[in-house]
Amino acid sequence: MLIALENVCKIYNQGQANEVRALSGIDLSVEAGSMLCLKGPSGSGKSTLLAIIGCVFPPTSGRAAIAGKQLARLPDRFLTIHRRESIGFIFQKFNVLPELTVLENITLPLLPLGISPRERRQRAKTLMERLGIAHRENFPAGQISGGELQRVAIARALINRPPIILADEPTAHLDTPLSREFMAIMQQLQAEGKTIVIASHDPLVFEHPAIDRQVAIQDGRIHVP
Amino acid sequence: MAKRGIEKQLNILDYALSSLWRRRTKNLSILLVFSAVIFLVASFLMVSKALSDRAGQLLVAAPEITVQRMSAGRQEAIPLAHGERLQGIFGIRRVVPRVWGYYFDEVTGANFTVLGVDPLQMPGGDGLATALARGRLPEEGEAGMVVVGQGVVETLALENRQLFSLFRPDLSLKTLTVSGEFAKETGIMTADLLLMHPAEARDLFLIAPGFATDLCISVANSREIETIARKIAELLPDCRVLTRPQIQKTYQVVFGWRSGFASICLLSAVAAFIILAWDKASGLAPEERREIAILKVLGWETADVLAVRFWEACLVSGLAFLLGMLSAFAHVLFFSAFLFRPILLGWSVLAPGLSLVPALALGDFLLLAAFTVLPYLAATVIPAWRSATVPADSALGG
Ligand SMILES: Nc1ncnc2c1ncn2[C@@H]1O[C@H](COP(=O)(O)OP(=O)(O)OP(=O)(O)O)[C@@H](O)[C@H]1O
Ligand SMILES: [Mg+2]
């Protein structure tokens, strides 16, 4: 299993007045090369679960093994290193820096890896061409359209060649044709062997034929109908 | 592996540069303020160093012991006979009478120093001839001959004229002939100087023959200055005896007060700057917070984010230091430190048009760096430390 979660719990602000139990008793395993959709209402814990799979923070309790590494009690620094080697994250708000150019945004994850400007540009160019945004290379990211931004986010998630792609509400800001296009790109990536986990309550996503499995989440637990 | 590390730092430096460029208006204003502070402090240090160096040279040429006659607490002409009475004191090498005074030129408003002394008898007098740019020293018995400093040449617009006149106290005119000019390099000591034989100076100031303004005494062993000075004071109770170390001390007190005052002003400028830098750096704008969160969720470590801030601060402070230093150097060398003259050169009236050679001791240089660059680095990197610990998940959003 590429992703294996056992009895995972996540409590935000543990021990404080604003303590929130976001996840409890999650058991989930995802095979390499599959495409999974986490669905559930707002506040159910989808983003939290994605963050744990994405090595953004470790679970409060339980065991989480991602790409062969146990995350529990892994110090922050190693979590970061593991994240940048194994995870490509597509965020709900895209999270691009508007003053940087498209190229600069896409290559941000490569800077701390010590990859030379030439190779960075080379890798980004291949992805930009593939995603049809090569003509926007030197545009500030703040000046391009929503669909193009989404592709910038995808290119950035792929630039470090991770085995796992995570996408949080990727179609929330896209219209129907663009959402379809997004799913088509995901399908291609899956065909190339990437493992994909998407959190979404958009039927266009979870009813898409490429989705191997849907997992419903409610109040921080996996919901079995 | 090491190559990767270097490549990584280069990438981060590159990112820091572009990040500086993106916020160029803000960074430029910081750069300007920073340079201005460095400029002020460095100019000040350079001027005080140059002045104390120059003053040191001046004092070396000062006589070891000066004897002046006092009457009712004021200086009076001293009879040459006093000098003969000193011959009995063991350890005195030479007693040279000197007619020393200031001549105020009504027309130009300039103050000249008139020194009436036999150049061959002056301490270091044999070296005087080499201080001349042209001409020669007046010889014994040559009437009306004078050697002038470059400041005098300029003030009186002498150019190539040999003759000029000065007023005696009774307003009769005394005509003088230029026999030589001091070289420009000796400006600190000679710019405003008129050097002539004592007889000529007596004539100019209308001092009776057989009198001088003071007696310059050189001793055989400089460790005996104080002892000999005491003996002279005992022998000549109506005289004031000044020694070189005493003059040096008085000078240091005066100069020290001036520079102390200026230091306090400058230190407050530095402090204000540090507060400004701190204020600017510690308030983390929301978009900066967002940027850091995004970088972290994309796999940047806390140390990488800090390195960006560190490089930024290094570039800004390094550039500011360089700019400030260079302009301070130019200020002192080419513009004679015109900003500081009023504070530091209380005695510049005595030495008009003196040129300063900027100099900075390595210690001062390091001190300056420590008081400006280090606080700036701290003021940017320490708050960045707090911000770099912004958790990555704040970029996730819902
Ligand atoms: N950083 C945080 N600190 C405290 N509580 C949090 C934090 N992030 C999320 N939560 C809380 O945890 C619970 C789960 O949030 P999460 O963002 O995982 O839900 P979600 O399913 O992604 O919702 P949405 O569909 O709105 O994105 C919510 O109650 C939320 O308020
Ligand atoms: Mg969410």
Side-chain angles (χ1 to χ4, degrees), chain B residues 137-154:
Chain B
L137 293 170
E139 269 161 35
E140 186 78 60
E142 278 184 318
M145 294 298 252
V146 62
V147 179
V148 294
Q150 291 297 330
V152 180
V153 173
E154 270 164 45

Side-chain angles (χ1 to χ4, degrees), chain A residues 51 56-57 77 80 83-84 91-92 95-100 108-109 111-117 120 156, chain B residues 4 7-8 11 14-15 18 22 290-291 294-301 304 392-398:
Chain A
V56 176
F57 45 68
R77 190 162 171 255
T80 302
R83 174 166 72 245
R84 67 185 182 204
F91 306 94
Q92 180 170 353
N95 271 345
V96 298
L97 295 172
E99 299 122 350
L100 295 187
L108 276 182
L111 301 190
L113 297 179
I115 290 171
S116 72
R120 290 203 306 260
R156 192 179 59 188
Chain B
R4 266 284 134 92
E7 194 77 59
K8 169 175 165 174
N11 287 347
D14 192 32
Y15 186 81
S18 80
R22 269 185 282 138
R290 179 167 177 266
E291 176 184 342
I294 290 176
L295 292 179
K296 290 197 74 178
V297 85
L298 290 177
W300 289 51
E301 291 168 59
D304 302 334
D393 60 305
S394 56
L396 295 178

Side-chain angles (χ1 to χ4, degrees), chain B residues 32-44 270 273 317 320-328 368-369 371-373:
Chain B
L32 285 181
V33 175
F34 201 162
S35 306
V37 170
I38 304 262
F39 164 77
L40 286 176
V41 180
S43 304
F44 170 70
V270 172
F273 166 73
S317 52
F321 199 74
L322 202 70
L323 269 177
M325 277 293 177
L326 286 179
S327 46
L368 183 54
F371 269 97
T372 51
V373 173

